[in-house]
Amino acid sequence: MIEVGTEPGTGVEPLAPRGAAATRAGVESVASAGTAVAAAGVETAAPGGTAPGSGVESVGQGGTAVAGAGVETAAPGGTATVGSGVESVGSGGTATVGSGVESVGPGATAAAGPGAEPAAPLVRATRPRNRRELIIAAARELFSRDGYANAAMSDIAAAVGIGPSALYRHFGGKQELLHAVVSEALDSCLAGLYPAGPGELDVLVRDFAESALARRELGVLWQREARHLPAEQYAELTRRLHVARRTLAGQLTAARPELDPAHTELLSWGTLGVAASLAYQRVELTSPDLVARLMHRVATSVPPGLGEPRLDAPRGTLRHRSRREALLAAATELFAERGYASVSLEDTGAAVGIAGQSIYHHFASKHDLLATAVHRGVERLWVDLAEVLAPARDHADALRHLVWRYIRMALVSRHLVTVIATEAEHLQEADRLRTRQFQRDYIAEWLHLLHAVHPAMTPAEARVRVQTVLTVVNDVARTPRLATRPGIDRALYQLGCELLELEAGPLPE
């Protein structure tokens, strides 16, 4: 232990009475009358000590925690000043301009500190043992709601009530945190696939529905955000997903030995699609029963025959003569496959054989490319809907045709559908709000038709069923081994009608 003096190095933990730790990250203890100055990560300053450092966790009696974001404890008589995230100030202490103050002792003042809770005598606060789990939970919510690119580490720290320095004790960076979030969500969601015995389909869907509902964010995290991970991490998570899918396929085969491999693959991915759909809806589900019923419906479906996948089928060689349309098509495919944030104008220009700067002759910016692609997809869906409604004999006929038209569009224009579903968060605010309103209005058309067919169905159940159909179709369209199988459109049509409790009838023309 160092008795007196200033130590500018890092990693030293205790300083003796009257000692000082100046401009030093990671100081954990400062004894009585000591001063911890600008010391990010300071954990303890003993009686009379002063800690102006961010991340200070404890200041002794009479001590002062100044400008210390994340200060957790100031003992009796202490003052926590400008300390966002201050959790407790002892009797007689003052917490000034400290947003997020949780406790101030008797006689203390919490000034301009939104979120302050009732005062109570408190001498020492301990760091939660599950802080890492709390950080992952907060990041999971922010990444799924706002998107990885739009959620800052400071936002996540604020959601947990700690300073950024405390967050970095657990995760080296934002990408490391994303990996932890996606990994935990993947394992937690898929955990329900394993307890059931061979062929116990009812047990399987019940357990999987429970675990999927507990981690309903997985669909968005996996389909939209996991692409920001390094290739090796993404590949490892993909391997775990495929292990779970094969486990599910094995269960289906045990319960239904008559299934051929093609149908087993379709129904296993379809069951996973039910779980993924939960991330794209705000319906409050207090019970997993509906989810389990939908999973069971998929798992017990008897779709028509499927051909072998055409993975090596050559791509068409014809391209747009219009340079603008060629750029838009290339950008749409790149946004869908890599994510908007990972695609540059140079990438888009290279895809059509021009320099990135030449794109400005056709589009004002990368955002303009994205907005045009989303708008193109939106208008395509509305045109399809209008063409479905005009000749329909009744609501059921219109709904069957709408299922079919959506399937055809998703299979033919899968990149366009993917961009609408996963990249709209990157639009500028006005465009983003318009797109969200479109999505609500479009879903409302499906719900109107479904309500007319099943008037006794609750709005919540109808919404869950519609979103499940759309997600299952989208997921199959993005899976080449399924999307390239002859007959996949007919199989999806039957599956979609069954999920909507709708008689399939003859295949629409």
Side-chain angles (χ1 to χ4, degrees):
M1 177 177 288
I2 303 176
E3 295 292 336
V4 181
T6 300
E7 173 56 59
T10 62
V12 178
E13 294 186 0
L15 289 181
R18 307 183 59 83
T23 63
R24 107 172 205 67
V27 177
E28 291 191 355
S29 179
V30 181
S32 176
T35 301
V37 182
V42 175
E43 291 192 355
T44 303
T50 300
S54 63
V56 178
E57 291 192 353
S58 180
V59 181
Q61 184 172 6
T64 301
V66 183
V71 177
E72 290 190 356
T73 302
T79 301
T81 306
V82 201
S84 63
V86 177
E87 290 189 358
S88 63
V89 180
S91 176
T94 301
T96 307
V97 200
S99 62
V101 177
E102 290 190 356
S103 181
V104 182
T109 301
E117 296 182 356
L122 187 59
V123 176
R124 171 77 177 167
T126 58
R127 182 190 306 172
R129 293 182 180 274
N130 65 336
R131 176 164 287 172
R132 179 181 174 89
E133 289 74 18
L134 294 175
I135 293 171
I136 290 175
R140 182 173 64 243
E141 180 179 353
L142 289 174
F143 289 161
S144 61
R145 188 189 69 194
D146 301 333
Y148 172 79
N150 298 325
M153 291 290 269
S154 57
D155 298 329
I156 298 167
V160 182
I162 61 176
S165 61
L167 192 155
Y168 282 104
R169 293 192 195 113
H170 298 275
F171 299 97
K174 186 177 169 185
Q175 200 170 53
E176 181 182 331
L177 178 54
L178 175 64
H179 178 258
V181 166
V182 177
S183 179
E184 189 277 338
L186 188 68
D187 290 343
S188 296
C189 178
L190 300 179
L193 291 173
Y194 299 103
E200 295 180 343
L201 200 55
D202 291 341
V203 176
L204 173 70
V205 297
R206 182 200 65 201
D207 291 347
F208 187 30
E210 289 180 355
S211 63
L213 194 56
R215 286 294 180 271
R216 62 187 301 170
E217 308 94 341
L218 176 62
V220 166
L221 291 172
W222 179 254
Q223 296 174 355
R224 191 182 72 193
E225 308 304 341
R227 293 175 298 181
H228 298 290
L229 293 170
E232 61 276 11
Q233 290 183 345
Y234 184 79
E236 192 274 331
L237 292 174
T238 300
R239 183 193 62 78
R240 282 152 60 181
L241 176 61
H242 282 281
V243 168
R245 204 280 305 171
R246 287 193 294 271
T247 298
L248 177 54
Q251 288 282 29
L252 291 177
T253 301
R256 304 181 59 192
E258 77 281 2
L259 286 176
D260 62 35
H263 286 126
T264 302
E265 185 176 24
L266 171 61
L267 299 183
S268 58
W269 279 119
T271 305
L272 291 172
V274 177
S277 72
L278 297 172
Y280 295 97
Q281 47 193 307
R282 300 299 180 188
V283 177
E284 183 177 353
L285 296 170
T286 57
S287 166
D289 290 349
L290 175 58
V291 180
R293 294 204 310 271
L294 294 177
M295 289 179 174
H296 191 273
R297 193 63 186 256
V298 173
T300 57
S301 179
V302 185
L306 295 171
E308 291 299 313
R310 298 173 177 174
L311 297 175
D312 56 352
R315 297 186 59 175
T317 58
L318 296 180
R319 296 290 182 267
H320 290 286
R321 182 178 181 276
S322 164
R323 180 62 56 80
R324 184 179 187 276
E325 289 299 316
L327 286 167
L328 183 60
T332 301
E333 181 173 349
L334 289 171
F335 293 158
E337 292 183 347
R338 302 185 195 173
Y340 174 81
S342 301
V343 177
S344 67
L345 288 179
E346 287 71 22
D347 296 331
T348 304
V352 297
I354 66 172
Q357 294 298 314
S358 300
I359 294 177
Y360 290 112
H361 295 299
H362 307 278
F363 295 94
S365 62
K366 188 173 82 164
H367 171 266
D368 190 24
L369 268 168
L370 176 63
T372 303
V374 171
H375 180 73
R376 179 71 58 86
V378 165
E379 292 305 312
R380 169 86 176 268
L381 290 173
W382 281 111
V383 168
D384 279 355
L385 177 61
E387 292 180 351
V388 160
L389 295 177
R393 298 187 301 273
D394 52 35
H395 293 90
D397 184 54
L399 192 54
R400 280 191 292 267
H401 279 76
L402 187 55
V403 171
W404 177 249
R405 289 293 288 264
Y406 188 83
I407 290 168
R408 293 303 305 159
M409 177 185 173
L411 291 173
V412 174
S413 303
R414 60 186 177 91
H415 294 125
L416 203 56
V417 172
T418 299
V419 166
I420 297 173
T422 65
E423 303 307 309
E425 66 179 88
H426 297 290
L427 293 170
Q428 293 177 0
E429 184 176 9
D431 290 327
R432 186 170 63 252
L433 293 176
R434 278 193 296 268
T435 300
R436 287 177 179 173
Q437 187 60 52
F438 149 74
Q439 291 170 326
R440 288 191 290 267
D441 292 344
Y442 182 71
I443 294 295
E445 296 284 351
W446 284 72
L447 295 175
H448 170 71
L449 294 174
L450 186 56
H451 176 71
V453 176
H454 298 296
M457 187 179 291
T458 67
E461 178 176 346
R463 185 173 293 276
V464 171
R465 287 180 178 274
V466 167
Q467 189 60 63
T468 297
V469 171
L470 299 180
T471 304
V472 169
V473 171
N474 291 345
D475 288 354
V476 170
R478 289 195 289 259
T479 307
R481 278 188 53 82
L482 292 173
T484 60
R485 286 185 180 274
I488 191 64
D489 51 359
R490 298 191 302 273
L492 284 174
Y493 170 67
Q494 179 174 314
L495 201 55
C497 289
E498 290 177 356
L499 288 168
L500 297 176
E501 297 291 340
L502 185 68
E503 184 179 351
L507 195 67
E509 298 179 0

Coordinates of all heavy atoms in Angstrom, one line a residue, residues 253-312:
T253 N -39.5 -35.6 -37.5 CA -39.3 -37.0 -38.2 C -39.8 -38.1 -37.2 O -40.4 -39.0 -37.6 CB -37.9 -37.2 -38.6 OG1 -37.5 -36.2 -39.6 CG2 -37.7 -38.6 -39.3
A254 N -39.4 -37.9 -35.9 CA -39.8 -38.9 -34.9 C -41.3 -39.0 -34.7 O -41.9 -40.0 -34.5 CB -39.1 -38.7 -33.6
A255 N -41.9 -37.8 -34.8 CA -43.4 -37.7 -34.6 C -44.1 -38.0 -35.9 O -45.3 -38.6 -35.8 CB -43.8 -36.3 -34.1
R256 N -43.5 -37.7 -37.0 CA -44.2 -37.9 -38.3 C -43.2 -38.7 -39.3 O -42.6 -38.0 -40.2 CB -44.6 -36.6 -38.9 CG -45.5 -35.8 -38.0 CD -46.0 -34.5 -38.6 NE -46.7 -34.8 -39.9 CZ -46.9 -33.8 -40.8 NH1 -46.6 -32.6 -40.6 NH2 -47.6 -34.2 -41.9
P257 N -43.0 -39.9 -39.1 CA -42.0 -40.6 -39.9 C -42.4 -40.6 -41.4 O -41.5 -41.0 -42.2 CB -42.0 -42.1 -39.4 CG -43.3 -42.2 -38.6 CD -43.6 -40.8 -38.1
E258 N -43.6 -40.3 -41.8 CA -44.0 -40.3 -43.2 C -43.4 -39.1 -43.9 O -43.4 -39.0 -45.2 CB -45.5 -40.3 -43.3 CG -46.2 -39.0 -43.1 CD -46.4 -38.7 -41.6 OE1 -45.9 -39.5 -40.8 OE2 -47.0 -37.7 -41.3
L259 N -42.9 -38.1 -43.2 CA -42.4 -36.8 -43.9 C -41.2 -37.1 -44.7 O -40.3 -37.8 -44.2 CB -42.2 -35.8 -42.8 CG -43.4 -35.0 -42.2 CD1 -42.8 -34.1 -41.1 CD2 -44.2 -34.3 -43.2
D260 N -41.1 -36.5 -45.9 CA -39.8 -36.7 -46.6 C -38.9 -35.5 -46.2 O -39.4 -34.5 -45.5 CB -40.1 -36.6 -48.1 CG -40.7 -35.4 -48.6 OD1 -40.4 -34.3 -48.1 OD2 -41.5 -35.4 -49.5
P261 N -37.6 -35.6 -46.5 CA -36.7 -34.5 -46.0 C -37.0 -33.1 -46.4 O -36.8 -32.2 -45.6 CB -35.3 -35.0 -46.6 CG -35.5 -36.5 -46.8 CD -36.9 -36.7 -47.2
A262 N -37.6 -33.0 -47.6 CA -38.0 -31.6 -48.1 C -39.0 -31.0 -47.2 O -39.0 -29.8 -46.8 CB -38.4 -31.7 -49.5
H263 N -40.1 -31.8 -46.9 CA -41.1 -31.3 -46.1 C -40.7 -31.1 -44.6 O -41.1 -30.1 -44.0 CB -42.3 -32.2 -46.1 CG -43.1 -32.2 -47.4 ND1 -43.4 -33.3 -48.1 CD2 -43.6 -31.2 -48.1 CE1 -44.1 -33.0 -49.2 NE2 -44.2 -31.7 -49.2
T264 N -39.8 -31.9 -44.1 CA -39.3 -31.8 -42.8 C -38.5 -30.4 -42.7 O -38.6 -29.7 -41.7 CB -38.3 -32.9 -42.4 OG1 -39.1 -34.1 -42.5 CG2 -37.8 -32.8 -41.0
E265 N -37.7 -30.1 -43.7 CA -36.9 -28.9 -43.7 C -37.9 -27.7 -43.8 O -37.7 -26.7 -43.0 CB -36.0 -28.9 -44.9 CG -35.1 -27.7 -45.0 CD -34.1 -27.7 -46.1 OE1 -34.4 -28.4 -47.1 OE2 -33.0 -27.1 -46.0
L266 N -38.9 -27.7 -44.6 CA -39.8 -26.6 -44.7 C -40.5 -26.4 -43.4 O -40.6 -25.3 -42.9 CB -40.8 -26.9 -45.8 CG -42.0 -25.9 -45.9 CD1 -41.5 -24.5 -46.1 CD2 -43.0 -26.3 -46.9
L267 N -41.0 -27.5 -42.8 CA -41.8 -27.3 -41.5 C -41.0 -26.9 -40.3 O -41.4 -26.2 -39.4 CB -42.6 -28.6 -41.3 CG -43.6 -29.0 -42.3 CD1 -44.4 -30.3 -41.9 CD2 -44.6 -27.9 -42.7
S268 N -39.7 -27.4 -40.3 CA -38.8 -27.0 -39.2 C -38.5 -25.5 -39.3 O -38.6 -24.8 -38.3 CB -37.6 -27.8 -39.2 OG -36.9 -27.7 -40.4
W269 N -38.2 -25.0 -40.5 CA -37.9 -23.6 -40.7 C -39.2 -22.8 -40.5 O -39.2 -21.7 -39.9 CB -37.4 -23.3 -42.1 CG -35.9 -23.5 -42.3 CD1 -35.3 -24.4 -43.1 CD2 -34.9 -22.9 -41.6 NE1 -34.0 -24.4 -43.0 CE2 -33.7 -23.4 -42.0 CE3 -34.8 -21.9 -40.6 CZ2 -32.4 -23.1 -41.6 CZ3 -33.6 -21.5 -40.1 CH2 -32.4 -22.1 -40.6
G270 N -40.4 -23.3 -40.9 CA -41.6 -22.6 -40.6 C -41.9 -22.5 -39.1 O -42.4 -21.4 -38.7
T271 N -41.6 -23.5 -38.3 CA -41.8 -23.5 -36.9 C -40.9 -22.4 -36.3 O -41.3 -21.6 -35.4 CB -41.6 -24.8 -36.3 OG1 -42.4 -25.8 -36.9 CG2 -41.9 -24.8 -34.8
L272 N -39.7 -22.4 -36.7 CA -38.8 -21.3 -36.3 C -39.3 -19.9 -36.7 O -39.1 -19.0 -36.0 CB -37.4 -21.5 -36.8 CG -36.6 -22.8 -36.3 CD1 -35.3 -23.0 -37.1 CD2 -36.3 -22.6 -34.8
G273 N -39.9 -19.9 -37.9 CA -40.5 -18.6 -38.3 C -41.6 -18.1 -37.4 O -41.7 -16.9 -37.2
V274 N -42.3 -19.0 -36.8 CA -43.4 -18.5 -35.8 C -42.7 -17.8 -34.7 O -43.1 -16.8 -34.2 CB -44.2 -19.7 -35.3 CG1 -45.2 -19.3 -34.3 CG2 -44.9 -20.4 -36.5
A275 N -41.6 -18.4 -34.2 CA -40.8 -17.8 -33.1 C -40.3 -16.4 -33.5 O -40.4 -15.4 -32.8 CB -39.7 -18.7 -32.6
A276 N -39.7 -16.3 -34.7 CA -39.1 -15.1 -35.2 C -40.2 -14.0 -35.4 O -39.9 -12.8 -35.2 CB -38.4 -15.3 -36.6
S277 N -41.4 -14.4 -35.7 CA -42.5 -13.4 -36.0 C -42.8 -12.6 -34.7 O -43.3 -11.4 -34.8 CB -43.7 -14.0 -36.5 OG -44.4 -14.8 -35.5
L278 N -42.5 -13.1 -33.5 CA -42.9 -12.4 -32.3 C -42.1 -11.1 -32.2 O -42.6 -10.2 -31.5 CB -42.6 -13.3 -31.1 CG -43.4 -14.6 -31.0 CD1 -42.8 -15.5 -29.9 CD2 -44.8 -14.3 -30.8
A279 N -41.0 -10.9 -32.8 CA -40.2 -9.7 -32.7 C -40.8 -8.6 -33.5 O -40.5 -7.4 -33.3 CB -38.8 -10.0 -33.2
Y280 N -41.7 -8.9 -34.4 CA -42.2 -7.9 -35.3 C -43.6 -7.4 -35.0 O -44.3 -6.8 -35.8 CB -42.2 -8.4 -36.8 CG -40.8 -8.6 -37.3 CD1 -40.2 -9.9 -37.2 CD2 -40.0 -7.6 -37.8 CE1 -39.0 -10.1 -37.7 CE2 -38.8 -7.8 -38.3 CZ -38.2 -9.1 -38.2 OH -37.0 -9.3 -38.7
Q281 N -44.1 -7.7 -33.8 CA -45.4 -7.3 -33.4 C -45.4 -6.8 -31.9 O -44.6 -7.3 -31.1 CB -46.4 -8.5 -33.5 CG -45.9 -9.8 -33.0 CD -46.8 -10.9 -33.5 OE1 -48.0 -10.9 -33.3 NE2 -46.1 -11.9 -34.1
R282 N -46.3 -5.9 -31.6 CA -46.3 -5.3 -30.2 C -47.5 -5.9 -29.4 O -47.8 -5.4 -28.4 CB -46.5 -3.8 -30.3 CG -45.3 -3.1 -31.1 CD -44.0 -3.4 -30.4 NE -42.9 -2.7 -31.1 CZ -41.6 -2.9 -30.8 NH1 -41.3 -3.7 -29.8 NH2 -40.7 -2.3 -31.5
V283 N -48.1 -7.0 -29.9 CA -49.2 -7.6 -29.2 C -48.7 -8.1 -27.8 O -47.7 -8.9 -27.8 CB -49.8 -8.7 -30.0 CG1 -51.0 -9.3 -29.2 CG2 -50.4 -8.1 -31.3
E284 N -49.4 -7.8 -26.7 CA -49.0 -8.4 -25.5 C -49.6 -9.8 -25.3 O -50.8 -10.0 -25.4 CB -49.5 -7.5 -24.3 CG -49.1 -7.9 -22.9 CD -49.5 -7.0 -21.8 OE1 -50.0 -5.9 -22.2 OE2 -49.3 -7.4 -20.7
L285 N -48.7 -10.7 -25.1 CA -49.1 -12.1 -25.0 C -48.7 -12.6 -23.6 O -47.6 -12.7 -23.3 CB -48.4 -13.0 -26.0 CG -48.8 -12.7 -27.5 CD1 -47.9 -13.5 -28.4 CD2 -50.3 -13.0 -27.8
T286 N -49.7 -12.8 -22.7 CA -49.5 -13.2 -21.4 C -49.3 -14.7 -21.2 O -48.9 -15.2 -20.2 CB -50.6 -12.7 -20.4 OG1 -51.8 -13.3 -20.9 CG2 -50.7 -11.2 -20.4
S287 N -49.7 -15.4 -22.3 CA -49.6 -16.9 -22.3 C -49.0 -17.3 -23.6 O -49.3 -16.7 -24.7 CB -51.0 -17.5 -22.1 OG -51.0 -18.9 -22.4
P288 N -48.2 -18.4 -23.6 CA -47.7 -18.9 -24.8 C -48.7 -19.8 -25.6 O -48.3 -20.4 -26.6 CB -46.5 -19.8 -24.4 CG -46.9 -20.2 -23.0 CD -47.7 -19.2 -22.4
D289 N -49.9 -19.9 -25.2 CA -50.8 -20.9 -25.8 C -51.0 -20.6 -27.3 O -51.0 -21.6 -28.1 CB -52.2 -20.8 -25.1 CG -52.1 -21.4 -23.7 OD1 -51.1 -22.0 -23.3 OD2 -53.1 -21.2 -22.9
L290 N -51.3 -19.4 -27.7 CA -51.5 -19.1 -29.1 C -50.3 -19.4 -29.9 O -50.4 -20.0 -31.0 CB -51.9 -17.6 -29.3 CG -52.1 -17.2 -30.7 CD1 -53.1 -18.0 -31.5 CD2 -52.4 -15.7 -30.8
V291 N -49.1 -19.1 -29.4 CA -47.9 -19.3 -30.1 C -47.7 -20.8 -30.3 O -47.3 -21.3 -31.3 CB -46.6 -18.7 -29.4 CG1 -45.3 -19.0 -30.1 CG2 -46.8 -17.2 -29.2
A292 N -48.0 -21.6 -29.2 CA -47.8 -23.0 -29.3 C -48.8 -23.6 -30.3 O -48.5 -24.6 -31.0 CB -48.1 -23.7 -27.9
R293 N -50.0 -23.1 -30.4 CA -51.0 -23.6 -31.4 C -50.5 -23.3 -32.8 O -50.7 -24.2 -33.7 CB -52.4 -22.9 -31.2 CG -53.0 -23.3 -29.9 CD -54.5 -23.2 -29.9 NE -55.0 -21.9 -30.4 CZ -55.2 -20.8 -29.7 NH1 -55.0 -20.8 -28.4 NH2 -55.6 -19.7 -30.2
L294 N -49.9 -22.2 -33.0 CA -49.5 -21.9 -34.4 C -48.3 -22.7 -34.7 O -48.1 -23.2 -35.9 CB -49.1 -20.4 -34.5 CG -50.2 -19.4 -34.3 CD1 -49.7 -17.9 -34.3 CD2 -51.3 -19.6 -35.4
M295 N -47.4 -23.0 -33.8 CA -46.3 -23.9 -34.0 C -46.8 -25.3 -34.3 O -46.3 -26.0 -35.2 CB -45.3 -23.9 -32.8 CG -44.5 -22.6 -32.6 SD -43.4 -22.7 -31.2 CE -42.5 -21.2 -31.3
H296 N -47.7 -25.7 -33.6 CA -48.3 -27.1 -33.8 C -49.0 -27.1 -35.2 O -48.9 -28.2 -35.9 CB -49.3 -27.4 -32.7 CG -49.7 -28.8 -32.7 ND1 -50.8 -29.3 -33.4 CD2 -49.3 -29.9 -32.0 CE1 -50.9 -30.6 -33.2 NE2 -50.0 -31.0 -32.4
R297 N -49.6 -26.1 -35.6 CA -50.3 -26.1 -36.9 C -49.3 -26.2 -38.0 O -49.5 -26.9 -39.0 CB -51.1 -24.8 -37.1 CG -52.0 -24.8 -38.3 CD -53.1 -25.9 -38.1 NE -53.9 -26.0 -39.2 CZ -55.2 -25.6 -39.3 NH1 -55.7 -24.9 -38.3 NH2 -55.9 -25.8 -40.4
V298 N -48.2 -25.5 -37.9 CA -47.1 -25.6 -38.9 C -46.5 -27.0 -38.9 O -46.3 -27.7 -39.9 CB -46.0 -24.6 -38.6 CG1 -44.8 -24.8 -39.6 CG2 -46.5 -23.2 -38.9
A299 N -46.2 -27.5 -37.7 CA -45.5 -28.8 -37.5 C -46.3 -30.0 -38.0 O -45.8 -31.0 -38.4 CB -45.1 -29.0 -36.1
T300 N -47.7 -29.8 -38.0 CA -48.5 -30.9 -38.4 C -49.1 -30.7 -39.8 O -50.0 -31.5 -40.3 CB -49.7 -31.1 -37.4 OG1 -50.4 -29.9 -37.3 CG2 -49.2 -31.5 -36.1
S301 N -48.7 -29.7 -40.5 CA -49.2 -29.4 -41.9 C -48.8 -30.5 -42.8 O -47.7 -31.2 -42.7 CB -48.7 -28.1 -42.4 OG -49.2 -27.8 -43.7
V302 N -49.6 -30.7 -43.9 CA -49.3 -31.7 -45.0 C -49.2 -30.9 -46.3 O -50.2 -30.9 -47.1 CB -50.3 -32.8 -45.0 CG1 -49.9 -33.8 -46.0 CG2 -50.5 -33.4 -43.7
P303 N -48.1 -30.2 -46.6 CA -48.0 -29.4 -47.8 C -47.9 -30.3 -49.0 O -47.5 -31.5 -48.9 CB -46.8 -28.5 -47.5 CG -46.0 -29.3 -46.6 CD -46.9 -30.1 -45.7
P304 N -48.1 -29.7 -50.2 CA -48.0 -30.5 -51.4 C -46.5 -30.8 -51.7 O -45.6 -30.2 -51.0 CB -48.5 -29.5 -52.5 CG -48.5 -28.2 -51.9 CD -48.7 -28.3 -50.4
G305 N -46.2 -31.6 -52.7 CA -44.9 -32.0 -53.0 C -43.9 -30.9 -53.4 O -44.3 -29.9 -53.9
L306 N -42.6 -31.1 -53.1 CA -41.6 -30.2 -53.4 C -40.5 -30.8 -54.2 O -40.2 -32.0 -54.0 CB -41.0 -29.6 -52.1 CG -41.9 -28.8 -51.2 CD1 -41.2 -28.5 -49.8 CD2 -42.3 -27.5 -51.8
G307 N -40.0 -30.1 -55.2 CA -38.9 -30.6 -56.0 C -37.5 -30.3 -55.3 O -37.4 -29.8 -54.2
E308 N -36.5 -30.8 -56.0 CA -35.1 -30.5 -55.4 C -34.7 -29.1 -55.6 O -35.1 -28.4 -56.6 CB -34.1 -31.4 -56.2 CG -34.3 -32.9 -55.9 CD -34.1 -33.2 -54.4 OE1 -33.1 -32.7 -53.8 OE2 -34.9 -33.9 -53.8
P309 N -34.0 -28.5 -54.7 CA -33.5 -27.1 -54.8 C -32.6 -26.9 -56.0 O -31.8 -27.8 -56.4 CB -32.8 -26.9 -53.4 CG -32.3 -28.3 -53.0 CD -33.4 -29.2 -53.4
R310 N -32.7 -25.7 -56.5 CA -31.9 -25.4 -57.7 C -30.9 -24.3 -57.3 O -30.9 -23.2 -57.8 CB -32.9 -24.8 -58.8 CG -33.9 -25.8 -59.3 CD -34.9 -25.2 -60.3 NE -35.8 -26.2 -60.8 CZ -36.9 -25.8 -61.6 NH1 -37.1 -24.6 -61.9 NH2 -37.7 -26.8 -62.0
L311 N -30.0 -24.8 -56.5 CA -29.0 -23.8 -55.9 C -28.0 -23.4 -57.0 O -27.4 -22.3 -56.9 CB -28.3 -24.5 -54.8 CG -29.1 -24.8 -53.5 CD1 -28.3 -25.6 -52.5 CD2 -29.7 -23.6 -52.9
D312 N -27.8 -24.2 -58.0 CA -26.8 -23.9 -59.0 C -27.4 -23.4 -60.3 O -26.7 -23.3 -61.3 CB -26.0 -25.1 -59.3 CG -26.8 -26.3 -59.8 OD1 -28.1 -26.2 -59.7 OD2 -26.3 -27.3 -60.2

